[in-house]
Amino acid sequence: MGDNILLMGFMGVGKSSLARRLSKKTSLFAIDTDHLIESLEHKNIKEIFEQKGEEYFRQKEQECAYWLENSVKNSIISTGGGFYKVENLKQIGTIIYLRSSFQGIINRLNSFPNAKEKFAKRPLLQDEKKAKKLYKQRVKEYEALADIIIDVEGKERKKIIKKIIKALEKRWSGKLEEMSSV
Ligand code: S3P
């Protein structure tokens, strides 16, 4: 369907919480690819990785991507950090890359009272060295795929939302309002 706003970026950058804020601000529904897969599998991400493996999870991400392309429109979609690899990403909607340095992401996660949980639920964030390597591999790919890049590091959530809305209005001129009223 294509008319969606897709938030992309590394683990822990704040995609899901920004999607919820953006939802409130635009009156568009927000959905999260990890949550969709968790409900489909009736397991959390950690359990899926442990019991079925990463490859299985990636297959589910691809299935989810086809469903989003064919069945979802006018929505805000937050994605898992590796979702960008699906072959039909561009067909789902406008891609917003939320950019931060690796250290910025670690600092953000550590700033939460439940930081431990935030690390624990992410299988690919258990080993910081490996996660940093993954980050380095991915940044160029994120940048290449993005329609819009928003720098989020150290920025207040309100300001980030403003920037996203401004960028979307510039790109779409009036379409955002139209989408919100559907
Ligand atoms: C992953 C990111 C996670 C989740 C899974 C794999 C990745 O989502 O999809 O653990 O490959 O980067 P978040 O980006 O919401 O942490």
Side-chain angles (χ1 to χ4, degrees), residues 108-122:
R108 175 180 180 273
L109 289 173
N110 277 324
S111 73
F112 291 98
N114 62 339
K116 251 191 173 176
E117 257 171 63
K118 297 216 174 249
F119 281 98
K121 72 174 192 177
R122 295 182 161 97

Side-chain angles (χ1 to χ4, degrees), residues 77 151 164 167:
I77 303 166
D151 284 307
I164 294 177

Side-chain angles (χ1 to χ4, degrees), residues 4-11 13-23 29-34 68 75-84 89 92-99 142 146-150 152 157 160-161 163-165 168:
N4 296 293
I5 299 161
L6 195 136
L7 301 186
M8 173 184 75
F10 201 66
M11 288 174 268
V13 78
K15 292 162 295 198
S16 314
S17 71
L18 282 169
R20 288 194 294 270
R21 284 291 172 112
L22 209 51
S23 169
F29 282 109
I31 48 177
D32 181 273
T33 60
D34 279 349
L68 291 168
S75 300
I76 296 159
I77 303 166
S78 52
T79 61
F83 188 85
Y84 75 99
L89 191 77
I92 299 172
T94 296
I95 304 169
I96 301 184
Y97 169 36
L98 304 173
R99 184 164 66 183
Y142 286 145
D147 295 309
I148 295 169
I149 299 179
I150 303 283
V152 299
R157 205 160 16 184
I160 301 172
I161 296 293
K163 271 208 223 175
I164 294 177
I165 290 179
L168 284 170

Side-chain angles (χ1 to χ4, degrees), residues 120-181:
K121 72 174 192 177
R122 295 182 161 97
L124 302 180
L125 212 50
Q126 298 310 300
D127 178 330
E128 205 175 302
K129 259 194 183 165
K130 278 191 193 162
K132 193 171 181 178
K133 205 171 152 204
L134 191 63
Y135 172 90
K136 280 188 180 162
Q137 283 168 9
R138 285 180 176 176
V139 274
K140 289 277 164 284
E141 295 179 79
Y142 286 145
E143 283 179 10
L145 281 166
D147 295 309
I148 295 169
I149 299 179
I150 303 283
D151 284 307
V152 299
E153 190 165 341
K155 302 235 159 54
E156 248 180 76
R157 205 160 16 184
K158 252 190 183 171
K159 280 202 177 140
I160 301 172
I161 296 293
K162 265 193 184 166
K163 271 208 223 175
I164 294 177
I165 290 179
K166 206 172 157 195
L168 284 170
E169 278 169 352
K170 193 173 160 204
R171 196 181 160 88
W172 286 352
S173 57
K175 201 164 102 190
L176 190 59
E177 244 172 68
E178 209 179 287
M179 279 166 76
S180 308
S181 58

Side-chain angles (χ1 to χ4, degrees), residues 14-73:
K15 292 162 295 198
S16 314
S17 71
L18 282 169
R20 288 194 294 270
R21 284 291 172 112
L22 209 51
S23 169
K24 187 147 189 347
K25 200 84 190 152
T26 58
S27 299
L28 296 172
F29 282 109
I31 48 177
D32 181 273
T33 60
D34 279 349
H35 294 163
L36 290 168
I37 295 169
E38 285 181 332
S39 60
L40 185 74
E41 292 291 304
H42 200 58
K43 286 184 179 70
N44 65 37
I45 300 294
K46 192 168 173 262
E47 289 166 340
I48 300 172
F49 268 68
E50 281 168 3
Q51 296 169 23
K52 306 267 180 110
E54 181 173 347
E55 203 178 310
Y56 179 86
F57 174 73
R58 300 300 174 201
Q59 279 168 23
K60 293 294 142 189
E61 285 192 312
Q62 185 58 70
E63 284 170 28
C64 180
Y66 290 136
W67 176 74
L68 291 168
E69 180 189 349
N70 294 322
S71 312
V72 176
K73 64 174 186 175

